[in-house]
């Protein structure tokens, strides 16, 4: 990252749009979008931005990350002011890494571009805040999709995270094309953590469809998760405060 203007005034910002609500888009990201000539991203994320004169919206399929990154780098090299958008934070299972992969392998001239990453509120932070503070002590987060890594590696990480007694946040838990992975995840966790461990299903957080569901691993069903859900499994220390029909889930600050 140069922090200086690229050739011909072009620049590339890789920005996070947060989990859904406009109020969760940072002022820094809003300012970049207001100056942009081009927005590049997965179709539903690009469509979250209102059209305006002077702004070209380039939506693409979610399996085209590297091609999209190359397109954005080339637009910036041609003098455009480009924002690549991701949901949540762009550095969490999203476009920032894809842009850097394309930068490393691509045209050497791209390396002199002004490129910056603008953080956003990641789904696990928004979900955690809605549920209470389940990530208040040590935690890890794992992407449960085996599109970009083998399932054996996911299962190994699940077992080691359970053994280390981390709270865990799971992205991409269950899709129509791979329903069996999340059922297996629940089984692995029941075996490793026991049936009473708390689990949170936070769906479409900060949107009108939001739902937050808290139960135990014994009660959890695979169908409770889909691709709009962020799942959090507590550590052995995570507990629930019941009040007025809803519960607050938190993990204490210390372990004795
Ligand atoms: C490709 S990942 C992108 C993560 C994103 N970069 C972030 O930091 O939140 C997509 C996954 O994020 C989670 N996710 C994104 N937005 C969400 C929301 N509003 N509520 C719950 N989960 C969400 C879901 O697990 C979804 O399958």
């Amino acid at each position: 990252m140069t922090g200086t203007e690229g050739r011909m005034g072009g620049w590339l910002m890789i920005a996070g749009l947060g989990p859904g609500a406009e109020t969760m888009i940072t002022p820094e990201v809003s300012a970049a979008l207001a100056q942009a000539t081009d927005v590049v991203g997965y179709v539903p994320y690009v469509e979250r931005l209102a059209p305006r004169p002077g702004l070209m919206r380039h939506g693409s399929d979610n399996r085209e990350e590297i091609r999209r990154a190359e397109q954005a780098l080339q637009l910036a090299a041609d003098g455009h002011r480009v924002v690549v958008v991701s949901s949540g934070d762009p550095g969490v299972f999203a476009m920032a890494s894809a842009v850097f992969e394309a930068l490393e392998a691509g045209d050497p001239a791209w390396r002199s571009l002004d490129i910056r990453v603008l953080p956003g509120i990641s789904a696990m932070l928004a979900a955690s805040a809605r549920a209470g503070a389940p990530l208040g002590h040590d935690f890890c987060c794992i992407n449960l999709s085996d599109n970009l890594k083998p399932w054996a590696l996911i299962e190994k990480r699940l077992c080691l995270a359970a053994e280390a007694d981390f709270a865990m946040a799971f992205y991409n838990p269950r899709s129509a094309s791979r329903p069996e992975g999340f059922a297996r995840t629940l089984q692995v966790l029941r075996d490793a953590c026991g049936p009473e461990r708390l689990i949170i299903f936070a769906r479409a957080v900060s949107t009108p469809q939001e739902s937050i569901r808290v139960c135990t691993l014994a009660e959890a069903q695979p169908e409770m998760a889909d691709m709009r859900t962020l799942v959090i499994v507590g550590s052995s220390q995570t507990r629930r405060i019941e009040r007025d029909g809803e519960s607050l889930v938190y993990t204490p600050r210390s372990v004795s």
Side-chain angles (χ1 to χ4, degrees):
M1 274 162 272
T2 64
T4 58
E5 286 277 294
R7 264 195 306 253
M8 297 165 59
W11 47 248
L12 179 60
M13 308 272 172
I14 313 162
L17 296 179
E22 269 201 37
T23 51
M24 292 199 190
I25 300 177
T26 69
E28 181 181 50
V29 169
S30 296
L33 290 167
Q35 291 174 26
T37 55
D38 297 76
V39 171
V40 177
Y42 178 37
V43 172
Y45 304 153
V46 166
E47 285 178 350
R48 279 174 58 183
L49 306 169
R52 64 164 165 80
L55 179 70
M56 183 74 86
R57 298 186 304 168
H58 308 265
S60 48
D61 189 86
N62 66 347
R63 287 158 298 184
E64 293 184 9
E65 286 188 346
I66 298 296
R67 199 148 12 116
R68 178 192 303 146
E70 290 167 348
Q71 176 193 25
L73 285 159
Q74 191 53 51
L75 282 166
D78 291 342
H80 296 239
R81 300 189 297 275
V82 184
V83 180
V84 174
V85 289
S86 288
S87 74
D89 180 89
V92 178
F93 310 130
M95 282 305 294
S97 293
V99 169
F100 294 137
E101 278 182 51
L103 180 70
E104 193 175 15
D107 184 344
W110 290 346
R111 295 189 181 209
S112 59
L113 285 167
D114 179 7
I115 303 175
R116 296 179 212 179
V117 181
L118 310 182
I121 297 177
S122 189
M124 70 179 170
L125 301 182
S128 169
R130 285 291 196 262
L135 306 181
H137 193 77
D138 295 345
F139 69 93
C140 66
C141 71
I142 299 177
N143 185 338
L144 290 181
S145 167
D146 59 358
N147 287 343
L148 299 175
K149 63 191 169 196
W151 176 260
L153 181 61
I154 296 175
E155 199 160 319
K156 178 179 176 187
R157 288 179 177 165
L158 281 174
C159 292
L160 292 173
E163 187 187 331
D165 200 17
F166 284 120
M168 303 169 218
F170 297 125
Y171 287 76
N172 296 307
R174 183 170 178 272
S175 75
S177 60
R178 42 175 187 82
E180 65 294 328
F182 188 61
R184 177 75 192 133
T185 297
L186 290 177
Q187 193 52 54
V188 168
L189 292 174
R190 276 186 207 109
D191 292 346
C193 308
E196 295 308 314
R197 187 63 58 89
L198 290 174
I199 181 168
I200 300 159
F201 293 89
R203 183 169 191 280
V205 175
S206 86
T207 78
Q209 295 81 39
E210 174 176 304
S211 82
I212 309 291
R213 201 163 170 175
V214 180
C215 62
T216 64
L217 282 175
E219 295 160 339
Q221 299 296 323
E223 300 73 30
M224 291 176 178
D226 65 9
M227 285 299 277
R228 296 192 74 193
T229 308
L230 190 290
V231 178
I232 296 176
V233 174
S235 73
S236 64
Q237 306 298 305
T238 304
R239 57 194 79 170
R240 175 158 51 173
I241 303 172
E242 299 292 355
R243 50 171 212 157
D244 295 340
E246 69 159 17
S247 50
L248 283 172
V249 179
Y250 82 104
T251 306
R253 299 272 289 119
S254 59
V255 176
S256 48

